[in-house]
């Protein structure tokens, strides 16, 4: 008996050692890929690093804007330090330019209700706890398997179109230049549009760097006018009160479906679409990443964050192809947060809305483009069916891309469009998801009804034949 227990312990030890060895080898391969990619295209990796600023900066500025937001809801220096660290860690752990973005549903509630730091932190901690539970129990993997591809694509396209709408609203917002120059805002909008259109034809140019350069150029008068001194980060931890948690849970409830659908499942699917030659992070790995980021940072007044398909599309659009790009961005954020938080605030507030808006629009266009692969072999369910045909074991319930009939194509397009419509009409990912799933289930119910009728009619004909004339 004792010998058997020792044998089991030895086997367990070997399995643990093998698992550690495999993980270390994966990390080594990740770093080799990051270094190789950065050496091959350093300018594009750096350009892609800043591709997500259009969605990050407006929310970051709104949270810390003392003119309209009393009390600020977050600590800017803490946010820069922690999001910088998380950028570096995600770049090291994953091979893709995985973004670190604000939780938008929480931001919407917090900004409208003027939440303080404790209430914002409580919302982030609540979402982290729920996502952590779903990750540890592997329910995220189950959701990922059960959600049909047309619904996932619908979420991606719907979020992309929502980003385009949001970017358009930012784009047309009045500019607040430090100097009076009639027609400058109009000229800036025209040049920004020209840059967007040019990016489709000349993808080799680092457009995010160009946009950022002009943005900082316009921010210079604000920087010079305020002459903000460097400031060292002094971390201050706090524990939210029970009343703060009550408000935080209320704000976090609306964030959970957005995080699960757009920040985890859609990100995993999008990374496979955009970077098929790079290992795709699993929903569980992304979920644990979201959990860890918020459980570590929210106690210090940092903004609740997640990963997002819009941010990944933005960084890919502007040139990022590896984790090296977000490592570079993380180093910039970390240095700003540690030594120049106030200075960073003036720079961020001085970047024109036209430039931020056009970057968001570009991200939305890139994300919405993934819908075109719905009925091709690039869709993961059709790719699996295609592999089944190649191996001699085709799927019975799902045709492959070559055998996709017109009826199947219409069904998939309809399911995707209904998902998109729900997201755009109600401005809620969860509503779009439910609408898409109901459409998918209605088709399944229709097929089962036809199958039942066919079997029933077959039995009736068989009984008639047995009775004879």
């Amino acid at each position: 008996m004792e010998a058997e227990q020792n044998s089991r312990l030895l086997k367990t030890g070997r399995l643990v050692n093998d698992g550690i060895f495999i993980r270390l080898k994966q990390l080594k391969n990740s770093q080799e890929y990051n270094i190789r990619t950065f050496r091959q295209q350093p300018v594009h990796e750096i350009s892609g690093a800043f591709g997500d600023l259009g969605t990050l900066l407006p929310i970051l500025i709104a949270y810390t804007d003392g003119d309209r937001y009393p009390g600020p809801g977050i600590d800017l220096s803490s946010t820069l330090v922690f999001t910088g660290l998380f950028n570096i860690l995600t770049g090291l752990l994953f091979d893709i330019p995985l973004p670190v973005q604000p939780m938008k549903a929480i931001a919407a509630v917090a900004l409208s209700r003027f939440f303080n730091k404790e209430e914002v932190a409580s919302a982030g901690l609540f979402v982290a706890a729920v996502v952590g539970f779903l990750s540890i129990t592997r329910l995220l993997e189950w959701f990922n398997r059960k959600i049909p591809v047309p619904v996932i694509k619908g979420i991606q396209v719907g979020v992309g179109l929502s980003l385009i709408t949001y970017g358009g609203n930012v784009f047309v917002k009045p500019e607040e230049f430090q100097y009076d120059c009639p027609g400058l805002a109009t000229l800036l909008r025209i040049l920004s549009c020209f840059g967007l259109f040019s990016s489709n034809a000349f993808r080799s140019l680092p457009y995010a760097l160009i946009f950022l350069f002009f943005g900082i150029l316009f921010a210079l008068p604000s920087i010079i006018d305020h002459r903000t001194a460097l400031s060292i980060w002094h971390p201050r931890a706090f524990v939210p009160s029970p009343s703060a948690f009550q408000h935080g849970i209320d704000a976090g409830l609306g964030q959970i479906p957005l995080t699960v659908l757009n920040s985890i499942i859609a990100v995993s699917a999008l990374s496979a679409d955009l970077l098929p030659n790079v290992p795709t992070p699993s929903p569980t790995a992304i979920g644990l990443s979201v959990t860890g980021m918020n459980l570590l940072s929210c106690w210090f007044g940092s903004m609740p964050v997640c990963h997002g398909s819009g941010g990944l599309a933005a960084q890919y659009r502007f040139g990022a192809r590896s984790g090296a790009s977000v490592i570079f961005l993380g180093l910039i954020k970390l240095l700003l947060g540690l030594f120049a938080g106030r200075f960073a605030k003036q720079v961020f507030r001085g970047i024109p809305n036209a430039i931020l808006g056009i970057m968001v629009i570009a991200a939305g266009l890139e994300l919405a483009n993934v819908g075109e692969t719905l009925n091709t072999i690039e869709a993961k369910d059709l790719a699996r069916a295609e592999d089944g045909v190649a191996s001699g074991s085709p799927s019975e319930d799902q045709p492959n891309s070559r055998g996709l009939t017109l009826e199947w194509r219409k069904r998939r397009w309809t399911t995707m469009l209904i998902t998109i419509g729900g997201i755009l009409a109600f401005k809620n990912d969860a509503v779009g998801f439910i609408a898409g799933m109901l459409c998918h289930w209605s088709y399944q119910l229709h097929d089962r009804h036809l199958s039942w009728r066919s079997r029933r009619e077959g039995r009736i004909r068989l009984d008639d034949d047995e009775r004879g004339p």
Side-chain angles (χ1 to χ4, degrees):
M1 189 74 176
E2 186 176 345
E4 190 176 324
Q5 287 179 345
N6 290 335
S7 177
R8 287 177 182 172
L9 286 173
L10 284 172
K11 286 181 180 179
T12 303
R14 287 195 197 100
L15 287 172
V16 171
N17 288 334
D18 289 346
I20 293 173
F21 177 76
I22 291 170
R23 186 55 189 151
L24 288 174
K25 189 175 181 181
Q26 289 173 341
L27 284 173
K28 180 175 177 289
N29 292 337
S30 296
Q31 304 328 306
E32 289 176 350
Y33 172 75
N34 288 338
I35 294 170
R36 185 172 64 253
T37 306
F38 191 81
R39 284 178 176 174
Q40 290 172 351
Q41 48 170 38
V43 176
H44 289 87
E45 289 295 309
I46 294 172
S47 175
F50 299 105
D52 191 34
L53 293 184
T55 52
L56 171 67
L57 293 188
I59 294 176
L60 202 59
I61 293 166
Y63 263 131
T64 56
D65 188 356
D67 295 337
R68 68 170 301 276
Y69 194 95
I74 61 167
D75 183 271
L76 179 61
S77 294
S78 294
T79 298
L80 290 172
V81 168
F82 281 106
T83 56
L85 286 173
F86 299 148
N87 277 131
I88 294 169
L89 289 173
T90 52
L92 292 172
L93 294 173
F94 303 105
D95 295 342
I96 62 174
L98 196 62
V100 177
Q101 292 186 306
M103 289 188 175
K104 298 179 182 63
I106 290 177
V109 175
L111 294 172
S112 62
R113 299 184 187 177
F114 303 111
F115 275 14
N116 58 34
K117 290 180 184 178
E118 290 190 11
E119 291 166 331
V120 173
S122 300
L125 292 169
F126 171 69
V127 174
V130 174
V131 172
F133 172 78
L134 295 175
S135 302
I136 293 169
T137 57
R138 301 191 72 81
L139 284 172
L140 286 176
E141 298 287 350
W142 183 84
F143 283 133
N144 189 47
R145 289 193 303 270
K146 294 299 181 181
I147 299 174
V149 168
V151 175
I152 295 176
K153 294 279 189 186
I155 292 169
Q156 293 171 329
V157 176
V159 172
L161 295 177
S162 297
L163 283 175
I164 293 171
T165 303
Y166 172 75
N169 292 333
V170 174
F171 183 77
V172 299
K173 281 177 64 176
E175 304 286 359
E176 297 179 1
F177 296 129
Q178 293 291 315
Y179 39 82
D180 187 21
C181 185
L184 181 60
T186 302
L187 178 62
L188 184 60
R189 292 189 181 104
I190 293 171
L191 292 175
S192 298
C193 289
F194 178 77
L196 175 64
F197 300 145
S198 300
S199 68
N200 292 318
F202 305 99
R203 291 240 172 185
S204 60
L205 289 176
Y207 286 97
L209 281 181
I210 296 171
F211 284 138
L212 184 64
F213 170 77
F214 282 103
I216 294 176
L217 195 64
F218 276 93
L220 279 178
S222 175
I223 298 168
I224 295 170
D225 184 54
H226 288 83
R227 296 179 183 176
T228 307
L230 296 182
S231 55
I232 305 300
W233 178 53
H234 298 287
R236 295 183 181 87
F238 58 87
V239 177
S241 64
S243 61
F245 266 109
Q246 186 176 357
H247 290 102
I249 291 172
D250 182 38
L253 285 172
Q255 179 66 46
I256 291 170
L258 182 62
T259 297
V260 170
L261 297 171
N262 179 50
S263 302
I264 298 174
I265 292 175
V267 164
S268 181
L270 182 65
S271 65
D273 288 335
L274 297 180
L275 301 163
N277 298 321
V278 179
T280 301
S282 67
T284 297
I286 298 174
L288 290 174
S289 176
V290 172
T291 300
M293 288 191 300
N294 290 285
L295 289 182
L296 285 172
S297 64
C298 286
W299 311 101
F300 296 89
S302 178
M303 175 177 63
V305 292
C306 59
H307 307 300
S309 56
L312 176 57
Q315 289 171 329
Y316 180 89
R317 167 87 180 201
F318 289 108
R321 297 294 183 270
S322 73
S325 62
V326 290
I327 293 174
F328 180 85
L329 177 63
L331 290 171
I332 299 294
K333 285 183 181 178
L334 185 60
L335 290 174
L336 286 174
L338 287 173
F339 305 111
R342 295 174 186 170
F343 173 79
K345 182 178 178 180
Q346 294 303 325
V347 174
F348 296 160
R349 292 186 66 177
I351 297 177
N353 293 320
I355 291 176
L356 294 176
I358 211 70
M359 293 178 73
V360 177
I361 291 171
L365 289 170
E366 189 68 41
L367 183 55
N369 277 339
V370 302
E372 68 178 355
T373 62
L374 176 65
N375 290 326
T376 70
I377 195 174
E378 293 182 40
K380 66 178 183 179
D381 56 341
L382 298 184
R384 285 196 298 264
E386 197 81 24
D387 292 340
V389 171
S391 63
S393 55
S395 173
E396 296 179 0
D397 58 345
Q398 172 66 58
N400 57 66
S401 60
R402 288 177 292 184
L404 203 62
T405 64
L406 181 61
E407 177 63 24
W408 269 97
R409 292 177 187 274
K410 286 183 177 179
R411 288 185 177 193
R412 291 166 67 84
W413 272 109
T414 302
T415 303
M416 184 178 78
L417 290 174
I418 286 178
T419 306
I420 296 168
I423 292 172
L424 296 180
F426 295 93
K427 298 181 180 179
N428 190 309
D429 287 15
V431 173
F433 167 73
I434 293 170
M437 290 303 299
L438 288 174
C439 179
H440 175 74
W441 288 331
S442 70
Y443 284 130
Q444 287 189 327
L445 185 63
H446 174 72
D447 289 342
R448 290 180 181 178
H449 174 67
L450 291 180
S451 179
W452 174 80
R453 277 183 56 186
S454 177
R455 289 196 302 270
R456 184 170 178 272
E457 290 172 358
R459 284 196 299 269
I460 292 173
R461 284 196 297 270
L462 184 61
D463 291 342
D464 291 340
D465 291 340
E466 288 176 351
R467 291 192 192 99

